[in-house]
Amino acid sequence: VSLMQWRSAAAGFLLVLGISAASLGAADSSNGWIDLFNGRDLAGWKLADPSGKNGWRVQNGIVINQTPSTNLITEKLFRDFQLQCEYQVPKGSNAGIYLLQRYEIQIFDDYQRPVYSHMCGSLYGEITPTANACKPPARNFPQIADDEWQTFDVTFRAARFNAAGEKTENVRVTVVHNGVTIIDNAELKTPTGAARRFDEEAPMPILLQGDHGPVAFRKFRIRGEVFDPPDPKAPGPQILDLDIQPKRLDDHQAAGVALRWKTPFNAYAPRYWVYRGESADFPLDAAHLRATVEKRSFEECCWEVAGLYFYRIVAAGVGGVAGPPSAPVNATVQANQVKTPILSDASWARFEGQSAPRRNRTSGGRPITMQGKKYDKGIGMVSPAALRFYISEMVGENSDYRFRATVGLDDSIAQNRRDGAAARFVVELDDKILFDSGTMKWADGVKEVDVPVPAGARKLVLRVERRGEPRWDVCNWANARLERSGK
């Protein structure tokens, strides 16, 4: 086995031009192929989310995911390679192979369909195949006859970067599907779909999608550049060129700032911690942690009080070990206070959740409608989520303000999903709960919220918590507003 050290300032990956059969599976010494599945177990693979549901299993030499599961990734990392696999799906199923965890080759039951941009064999949404080479789906999945297996033969050349970390060449990829070349040395300018759309210079794993539909693999082998994973005990990379600029954040409807930074070339970090304080030497502790982000940028406009604020960034290593903190940068900012009683028209300070809230629309972009009644004003959310407002400038020392709203689940929830959709609506004021709807289903209709807002109140939080099936809890705060009593 010949090894060559691949050096970068912080990544610490090891380039392996030929690796032992024990590391990933059986190797054919005549041509350099490495079997990523050994036919017995999932050695060399791990769950992308260790706490997620594991529906993957090895049965009769076949790797099968038959129920929605967390994704599966290789322990090894790759850059330039050729990949060959045999796969199959049942009728209507949807899966994918993510090259370097960033570029998805779509797997879908597209037998005899016209060619389209997201079809089987495409680089999802970016490169459309020239032909449909799909075989029929498995007749009796997961029992798959020898003549039913489908094949991919993929040649992949990673993006190229200069010593400064600037991209000089895009990805190149060829896809042969069931013996038909459907993508021929095509240029891929960006990661696909919702994949991580930055850090293209870093070697990454192969990912098998398990959270969409059943899929089975019988052969999965690769040859090319293979990297050992970085040391989980190694600290994150250094932060370089941290910059702060003013920016209007339209989602918040307020003036804000945009932070941008770099790391040394090829230095990969799975996440970054953003800290904020009121002096250059503020401590990097939980009280000053502003956000955890995956990309090398952060934007906010969430200040309760105007003034001079300082920011520092820390990168995490792959094992979560903190790297050296950046030098502080600072900006003089405006307060992000509510200035209008209608909260869907107001500036909001902070949002926590996976899907951003919508103003005067549902989370899916439809008009807010509950129990057949449409509402022109309101906030649409998907649980779990929380939306914060700073209200001290409006409320002041007045003791006659109230928060009012109509809450419930939207009529856009499909009728066959309404029984499984449920959420809890909570109103918090300065960390005290003033309203708790309890678990609400669509059939429970709506509830009216009318709670007092005392003089000197500072922070109003609207929270929704999941109490049913995910994706169907379309939660509405219709006519959410701050009103003076009697008005």
Side-chain angles (χ1 to χ4, degrees):
V1 178
S2 62
L3 300 178
M4 178 179 68
Q5 188 71 30
W6 179 63
R7 300 189 182 279
S8 80
F13 298 118
L14 186 65
L15 174 60
V16 183
L17 297 181
I19 62 177
S20 67
S23 60
L24 282 176
D28 184 341
S29 60
S30 64
N31 57 23
W33 287 105
I34 304 298
D35 290 325
L36 298 186
F37 287 137
N38 62 23
R40 302 181 303 277
D41 54 37
L42 291 174
W45 296 79
K46 62 183 180 181
L47 298 180
D49 177 5
S51 63
K53 180 179 179 180
N54 183 8
W56 298 92
R57 69 184 192 277
V58 180
Q59 178 178 308
N60 299 324
I62 299 171
V63 176
I64 301 171
N65 175 41
Q66 200 162 356
T67 60
S69 168
T70 193
N71 300 323
L72 194 66
I73 60 174
T74 59
E75 294 177 351
K76 295 287 186 178
L77 314 177
F78 306 92
R79 191 169 64 177
D80 294 353
F81 56 85
Q82 184 181 1
L83 181 152
Q84 293 180 346
C85 75
E86 294 181 347
Y87 79 93
Q88 187 52 287
V89 292
K91 185 175 179 60
S93 190
N94 179 357
I97 302 171
Y98 283 75
L99 311 177
L100 305 195
Q101 210 167 331
R102 291 187 290 260
Y103 317 99
E104 182 189 7
I105 295 179
Q106 171 77 312
I107 292 177
F108 199 81
D109 169 26
D110 275 320
Y111 179 60
Q112 292 186 332
R113 290 185 180 179
V115 170
Y116 65 101
S117 62
H118 293 68
M119 71 175 296
C120 188
S122 67
L123 271 297
Y124 187 82
E126 299 294 334
I127 301 178
T128 302
T130 57
N132 183 348
C134 287
K135 290 184 177 182
R139 294 183 294 271
N140 190 29
F141 188 92
Q143 306 300 319
I144 303 169
D146 285 343
D147 62 351
E148 289 185 316
W149 286 99
Q150 307 199 55
T151 65
F152 278 130
D153 190 327
V154 180
T155 302
F156 180 88
R157 185 178 187 273
R160 295 305 197 247
F161 294 81
N162 62 23
E166 299 165 334
K167 184 157 68 165
T168 57
E169 297 180 50
N170 288 316
V171 165
R172 289 279 176 179
V173 62
T174 296
V175 178
V176 180
H177 189 200
N178 295 324
V180 178
T181 300
I182 61 172
I183 295 174
D184 189 6
N185 194 31
E187 181 183 29
L188 180 59
K189 297 180 180 180
T190 178
T192 60
R196 188 179 174 112
R197 306 186 76 83
F198 44 91
D199 289 345
E200 282 193 273
E201 66 269 34
M204 291 290 284
I206 305 295
L207 178 148
L208 303 182
Q209 189 177 56
D211 60 356
H212 277 47
V215 64
F217 296 93
R218 183 169 69 170
K219 180 176 77 172
F220 209 101
R221 65 179 189 170
I222 200 166
R223 63 178 175 184
E225 294 179 322
V226 185
F227 297 76
D228 283 331
D231 182 356
K233 297 181 180 179
Q238 182 181 3
I239 302 298
L240 304 176
D241 301 330
L242 175 59
D243 179 62
I244 188 168
Q245 297 291 335
K247 182 176 182 179
R248 172 79 182 183
L249 300 187
D250 292 334
D251 286 347
H252 291 260
Q253 294 194 358
V257 295
L259 294 165
R260 301 287 186 272
W261 60 90
K262 296 180 181 179
T263 54
F265 174 55
N266 279 333
Y268 172 75
R271 60 189 178 276
Y272 300 88
W273 294 298
V274 180
Y275 293 90
R276 186 183 78 189
E278 298 179 7
S279 65
D281 58 351
F282 71 90
L284 303 181
D285 56 18
H288 292 86
L289 180 63
R290 186 64 192 87
T292 300
V293 298
E294 293 184 353
K295 55 187 177 181
R296 290 171 288 200
S297 63
F298 176 68
E299 298 176 348
E300 76 161 348
C301 59
C302 308
W303 309 282
E304 185 176 2
V305 179
L308 180 65
Y309 289 86
F310 294 81
Y311 291 84
R312 303 185 78 179
I313 311 297
V314 177
V318 294
V321 181
S326 71
V329 296
N330 65 79
T332 300
V333 302
Q334 302 175 20
N336 193 34
Q337 290 278 340
V338 169
K339 298 183 183 302
T340 174
I342 305 300
L343 294 186
S344 57
D345 297 336
S347 173
W348 54 55
R350 188 170 185 176
F351 172 72
E352 299 173 1
Q354 294 182 345
S355 299
R358 299 289 294 267
R359 298 176 185 273
N360 306 320
R361 311 288 284 183
T362 70
S363 58
R366 299 182 180 184
I368 292 175
T369 307
M370 295 184 291
Q371 306 299 310
K373 181 179 179 179
K374 289 186 178 181
Y375 297 82
D376 293 331
K377 295 291 185 178
I379 299 169
M381 299 168 71
V382 173
S383 67
L387 186 59
R388 178 189 300 179
F389 298 86
Y390 293 133
I391 61 174
S392 60
E393 286 188 9
M394 173 170 283
V395 174
E397 296 305 315
N398 298 300
S399 59
D400 58 349
Y401 269 96
R402 303 187 73 84
F403 170 74
R404 291 167 173 153
T406 303
V407 300
L409 300 181
D410 196 80
D411 290 355
S412 62
I413 300 173
Q415 291 192 9
N416 63 348
R417 297 289 185 177
R418 288 177 178 176
D419 288 343
R424 174 191 178 211
F425 294 79
V426 176
V427 177
E428 298 177 5
L429 191 64
D430 294 334
D431 301 321
K432 295 181 180 179
I433 295 178
L434 296 188
F435 172 84
D436 185 342
S437 71
T439 298
M440 290 184 66
K441 293 188 174 183
W442 181 87
D444 294 328
V446 300
K447 291 187 178 181
E448 299 297 329
V449 185
D450 187 351
V451 294
V453 178
R458 296 173 47 219
K459 182 177 65 177
L460 174 69
V461 176
L462 309 183
R463 186 182 305 278
V464 289
E465 299 177 358
R466 181 175 298 157
R467 289 294 184 266
E469 296 179 6
R471 297 174 57 197
W472 299 106
D473 46 345
V474 184
C475 304
N476 296 326
W477 299 84
N479 292 333
R481 61 204 185 274
L482 289 168
E483 285 186 341
R484 307 289 289 269
S485 297
K487 296 185 177 182

